[in-house]
């Protein structure tokens, strides 16, 4: 029986590429995001990718997703919490609703899906949270990214907590703090920046880390960036 991976934020960018690599490595892949069309295109190109359109900020949609996962797969080996959004506004301009939206999409949605999936994880499953260098303690900080960076910092600390709380089930959790990757998120937020890595390069790295990383790491917050974190 093939192993099973669940990837959020699979409709474009890094998540889309991670799905393809995991399918090529022989995994059954549940691809999760809100946009149905690109997910369906992925599923049509790869017989082992299953499109599950879901808004992760909506409780009833996450419940429906987990019910479908339980029906279609006995258990899950890998969860990659990759879905995210970025609001680029100065601290002064950020509204409380902006803060809530960032925490909802980058932290609470990962908390919710992880909690709901607890009974589905295999012994030795690997949870990979996709964080950011902006949320890495001591890294260079950029104006406009307060809410985003804080949400990612919290996701990183959640990872450390999960590695302890889930150790009795032998479930491993690690966070990857990515540097700049050329995706639509980066282009929309910072049109003038040219990233040193493509979504395909980063997707391949994340897929392979999700498969092998839990042998070497648990509860770690790992920078994945070419630039110096300080
Ligand atoms: N690109 C970079 O330079 C960079 C650097 C550091 C960290 N990261 C992190 O890496 C991850 C992927 O980034 P990316 O650059 O590939 O971004 P992207 O191109 O904007 O992709 C984000 C993905 O998240 C999904 N998503 C957003 N909100 C969602 C929701 N409520 N429910 C379900 N899916 C949702 C989007 O799909 P739908 O819109 O279809 O829902 C999309 O598939 C993000 O967590 C990002 O913060 C990126």
């Amino acid at each position: 029986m093939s192993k099973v991976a669940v990837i959020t934020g699979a409709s474009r960018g890094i998540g889309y590429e991670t799905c393809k690599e995991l399918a090529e490595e022989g995994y059954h892949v549940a691809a999760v995001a809100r946009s149905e069309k690109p997910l369906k295109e992925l599923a049509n190109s790869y017989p082992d990718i299953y499109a599950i359109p879901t808004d992760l900020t909506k409780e009833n949609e996450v419940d429906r997703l987990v019910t479908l996962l339980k029906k279609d797969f006995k258990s899950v080996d890998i969860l990659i919490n990759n879905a995210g959004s970025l609001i680029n506004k100065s601290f002064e301009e950020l509204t409380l609703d902006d803060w809530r939206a960032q925490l909802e999409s980058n932290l609470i949605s990962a908390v919710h899906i992880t909690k709901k999936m607890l009974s589905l994880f295999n012994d030795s499953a690997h949870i990979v949270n996709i964080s950011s260098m902006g949320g890495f303690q001591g890294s260079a900080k950029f104006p406009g990214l307060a809410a985003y960076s804080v949400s990612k910092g919290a996701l990183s600390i959640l990872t450390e907590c999960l590695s302890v709380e889930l150790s009795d089930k032998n479930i491993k959790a690690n966070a990857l703090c990515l540097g700049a990757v050329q995706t639509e998120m980066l282009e929309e937020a910072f049109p003038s920046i040219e990233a040193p890595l493509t979504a395909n390069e980063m997707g391949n790295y994340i897929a392979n880390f999700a498969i092998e990383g839990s042998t070497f790491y648990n509860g770690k917050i790992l920078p994945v960036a070419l630039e110096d974190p300080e």
Side-chain angles (χ1 to χ4, degrees):
M1 168 79 182
S2 294
K3 292 194 165 191
V4 175
V6 177
I7 309 180
T8 71
S11 63
R12 67 182 202 176
I14 295 164
Y16 188 88
E17 298 296 330
T18 307
C19 278
K20 295 196 312 198
E21 178 67 10
L22 279 168
E24 278 160 22
E25 289 295 327
Y27 276 70
H28 286 304
V29 180
V32 179
R34 290 166 301 189
S35 314
E36 197 164 337
K37 194 165 169 259
L39 292 184
K40 289 261 160 76
E41 281 164 12
L42 249 185
N44 288 339
S45 313
Y46 291 82
D48 290 333
I49 295 183
Y50 307 84
I52 313 186
T54 307
D55 184 341
L56 291 162
T57 65
K58 301 219 163 89
E59 280 193 41
N60 62 328
E61 294 199 25
V62 175
D63 290 348
R64 186 183 140 272
L65 159 70
V66 175
T67 304
L68 282 175
L69 292 174
K70 284 183 176 156
K71 188 163 77 64
D72 290 345
F73 308 107
K74 279 205 184 78
S75 59
V76 168
D77 300 275
I78 289 172
L79 167 65
I80 305 179
N81 285 314
N82 165 78
S85 62
L86 185 158
I87 298 176
N88 180 5
K89 279 188 193 176
S90 70
F91 180 75
E92 196 176 0
E93 286 170 336
L94 280 168
T95 64
L96 287 184
D97 279 346
D98 289 330
W99 278 92
R100 288 189 189 101
Q102 284 288 253
L103 291 169
E104 196 67 46
S105 85
N106 295 350
L107 176 68
I108 308 293
S109 61
V111 168
H112 190 199
I113 186 174
T114 305
K115 184 165 184 222
K116 286 280 172 182
M117 282 182 60
L118 284 179
S119 65
L120 259 171
F121 288 123
N122 266 337
D123 235 23
S124 81
H126 191 194
I127 299 167
V128 180
N129 290 328
I130 303 303
S131 190
S132 166
M133 283 309 292
F136 189 78
Q137 187 181 19
S139 68
K141 298 295 181 287
F142 296 96
L145 295 186
Y148 175 77
S149 300
V150 167
S151 69
K152 290 297 189 179
L155 181 66
S156 293
I157 300 299
L158 170 70
T159 311
E160 292 184 325
C161 298
L162 286 176
S163 72
V164 175
E165 293 241 7
L166 306 182
S167 61
D168 56 337
K169 298 186 170 112
N170 200 28
I171 296 168
K172 308 284 200 307
N174 290 295
L176 298 179
C177 297
L178 311 188
V181 182
Q182 201 62 44
T183 65
E184 286 165 83
M185 175 188 278
L186 189 84
E187 280 153 26
E188 284 158 15
F190 302 103
S192 59
I193 289 184
E194 206 174 307
L197 292 169
T198 63
N200 178 261
E201 287 167 324
M202 188 56 87
N204 288 353
Y205 177 78
I206 291 170
N208 288 303
F209 179 82
I211 295 170
E212 293 170 1
S214 60
T215 308
F216 306 100
Y217 301 101
N218 187 27
K220 296 292 181 290
I221 300 170
L222 302 164
V224 184
L226 291 165
E227 67 267 31
D228 195 324
E230 289 185 298

